[in-house]
Amino acid sequence: MISDEEQAQRQAALRALLARPLLTAERDPEALVLVRRHVTELRDWLSRETGWRLTVDSGAARLFKTAPDTRDATHPARGKAGEPYGRRRYVLICLALATLERADAQTTLGRLAEEVLSSAAEPELDFDFTLDSRAERADLVAVVRTLLDWGVLRRVAGDEDAYLSATGDVLYDVRRPVLAALLTGTRGPSTITAVPFEDRLAELTAEPVADTDDLRNQALRRRLTRKLLEDPVIYYADLDEDERAYLASQRHAIVRRLEEATGLVPEVRAEGIAMVDPDDELTDVRMPEQRTDGHVTLLVAEQLAAHGELTMEELKSFVRRAAREHASFWRKGVTEPGAEDGLLSGALAKLTALRLVRVTGNAAIGLPAIARYALDEPVIKGQ
């Protein structure tokens, strides 16, 4: 038996890794100390229950997580202001990393931009990028700030805003140990010969096929554990036959091990399972939230919990009415014509990411977990 304090430290270390799979001494000193202190137990648990690798040294800890579903686009990388990455930024970050791989120990933003621009001009990329517009330079700066946040770069002198306004440059240290630990695929991209993107992604993330009953059960346990750690909720209907059968027989053991290791609380319902975080730390999408967008999302969730399915026009009409009703509390412009499109789009994106809603064609369908946002009819005492 381990002490309560020791258990709490291990949970905190694992939670830190789950929240930020790349911890560095500069950005996450306390979390890194915890991970280093319990690295043996963490590595054993992660290898046994998830199949994920954990590497740790004095400067960084890297958890090589794998996405449960590579087709899921509901949790994009985000910029400093929370804006989601688009295709251009994803391509730029790949080109920037390739450039840094062959860069000197120090580089400047201007030099990095020139190298990225040269790589972007390769005809096989089919990628149109210049530095002529402020928007394109802003995308490059957003990518660099992501690399700073990850710890791949360390700012030595200068500021990115000066580069944006063409009044200065920035000098960076290139941290090669962190750069080398970024890729999480099971094989090197240079070894993949497939051409279509979907095939290349499948080869990059493919895992060995189990050929014995014990190995198949191990693969199922790891796959389900990953889903429970990474997805807000897993529905039995979304699992394949083998996964449903294994979870039906091993559910109690799986959720107990997860609860002990992470402090997450299992919520088991007829339709599926969610591992709930009482401290609200292990999510990039929070609900409910304050301010206009958070209120809109909550109101849309209540509507879908009550009606089950609504068309986009019905939802837009509802958001327009809500905007007029709450205009004095929401941000300016919410009652302008067309404002409901952006408000509804943001709300549905969040609800989809949380596995509360599925958008199909011209309608939004509430999934079982959205029932928690249903409002009961008020009861007047004494009647």
Side-chain angles (χ1 to χ4, degrees):
M1 291 289 291
I2 64 173
S3 67
D4 291 343
E5 181 181 357
E6 190 85 353
Q7 178 75 0
Q9 286 185 2
R10 290 186 191 177
Q11 287 183 354
L14 181 53
R15 289 166 65 88
L17 286 167
L18 293 172
R20 294 186 72 100
L22 178 58
L23 302 174
T24 61
E26 293 83 2
R27 186 189 58 202
D28 320 284
E30 295 181 2
L32 182 57
V33 168
L34 272 181
V35 170
R36 293 185 65 193
R37 184 178 301 160
H38 300 283
V39 61
T40 300
E41 295 81 10
L42 292 171
R43 187 178 283 138
D44 290 346
W45 190 90
L46 287 162
S47 175
R48 182 176 62 253
E49 302 300 332
T50 68
W52 291 337
R53 289 188 299 123
L54 173 63
T55 62
V56 181
D57 59 33
S58 60
R62 178 63 162 130
L63 176 60
F64 291 86
K65 292 202 296 184
T66 54
D69 184 357
T70 56
R71 298 165 298 178
D72 180 10
T74 60
H75 296 271
R78 295 186 180 274
K80 190 175 181 180
E83 75 283 5
Y85 265 38
R87 178 179 182 272
R88 184 160 66 190
R89 288 191 183 181
Y90 281 120
V91 175
L92 285 176
I93 204 167
C94 292
L95 295 178
L97 291 171
T99 296
L100 293 172
E101 181 66 31
R102 56 180 183 269
D104 295 330
Q106 287 190 326
T107 191
T108 64
L109 181 48
R111 189 179 307 134
L112 178 62
E114 291 174 1
E115 292 290 335
V116 167
L117 193 61
S118 175
S119 299
E122 295 292 333
E124 59 267 23
L125 279 183
D126 190 24
F127 179 57
D128 185 20
F129 179 73
T130 69
L131 292 170
D132 297 336
S133 71
R134 183 180 175 87
E136 289 174 308
R137 293 196 300 275
D139 277 337
L140 181 60
V141 165
V143 162
V144 166
R145 284 174 171 162
T146 295
L147 297 178
L148 284 166
D149 181 57
W150 289 352
V152 176
L153 297 175
R154 180 192 291 122
R155 190 185 296 109
V156 177
D159 183 80
E160 290 80 27
D161 289 333
Y163 174 82
L164 269 180
S165 58
T167 60
D169 208 341
V170 195
L171 178 65
Y172 304 107
D173 286 334
V174 180
R175 302 189 61 209
R176 295 200 175 280
V178 178
L179 175 63
L182 285 185
L183 291 180
T184 63
T186 56
R187 55 185 290 189
S190 61
T191 67
I192 296 173
T193 58
V195 175
F197 173 76
E198 291 77 10
D199 294 345
R200 290 182 64 82
L201 188 59
E203 288 190 22
L204 184 65
T205 58
E207 298 187 47
V209 177
D211 56 2
T212 68
D213 288 342
D214 286 345
L215 288 177
R216 278 191 287 271
N217 286 335
Q218 179 189 72
L220 284 168
R221 184 181 72 248
R222 288 175 171 177
R223 194 157 68 237
L224 290 165
T225 301
R226 292 175 188 178
K227 287 176 180 289
L228 287 166
L229 285 172
E230 292 289 277
D231 291 343
V233 58
I234 62 172
Y235 295 110
Y236 301 131
D238 294 335
L239 302 177
D240 63 33
E241 185 176 348
D242 290 340
E243 290 171 333
R244 283 196 298 272
Y246 187 84
L247 188 56
S249 64
Q250 300 295 320
R251 183 189 69 195
H252 178 74
I254 290 175
V255 298
R256 176 179 51 80
R257 287 193 291 265
L258 278 172
E259 186 174 12
E260 290 175 352
T262 64
L264 297 174
V265 179
E267 184 174 309
V268 181
R269 296 286 184 261
E271 301 87 359
I273 304 173
M275 298 301 297
V276 179
D277 180 13
D279 296 324
D280 194 28
E281 295 173 341
L282 300 184
T283 181
D284 58 341
V285 182
R286 287 176 170 80
M287 183 175 171
E289 283 187 316
Q290 298 180 349
R291 302 184 184 278
T292 300
D293 292 323
H295 194 190
V296 173
T297 303
L298 184 59
L299 293 175
V300 170
E302 291 172 354
Q303 284 294 300
L304 287 168
H307 298 282
E309 179 177 350
L310 291 170
T311 67
M312 292 300 170
E313 287 306 314
E314 289 171 329
L315 285 170
K316 288 179 184 179
S317 178
F318 168 75
V319 172
R320 282 194 295 268
R321 294 195 305 272
R324 290 193 296 269
E325 181 180 349
H326 302 286
S328 58
F329 303 101
W330 290 4
R331 64 171 176 262
K332 294 181 180 180
V334 294
T335 58
E336 296 293 326
E340 68 276 7
D341 293 341
L343 292 171
L344 179 60
S345 176
L348 291 178
K350 179 171 290 190
L351 294 172
T352 301
L354 290 171
R355 303 294 189 271
L356 298 174
V357 165
R358 179 180 294 120
V359 176
T360 305
N362 195 38
I365 303 168
L367 298 176
I370 206 170
R372 65 173 57 205
Y373 296 100
L375 292 179
D376 292 332
E377 291 295 326
V379 176
I380 301 176
K381 293 183 178 180
Q383 291 188 359

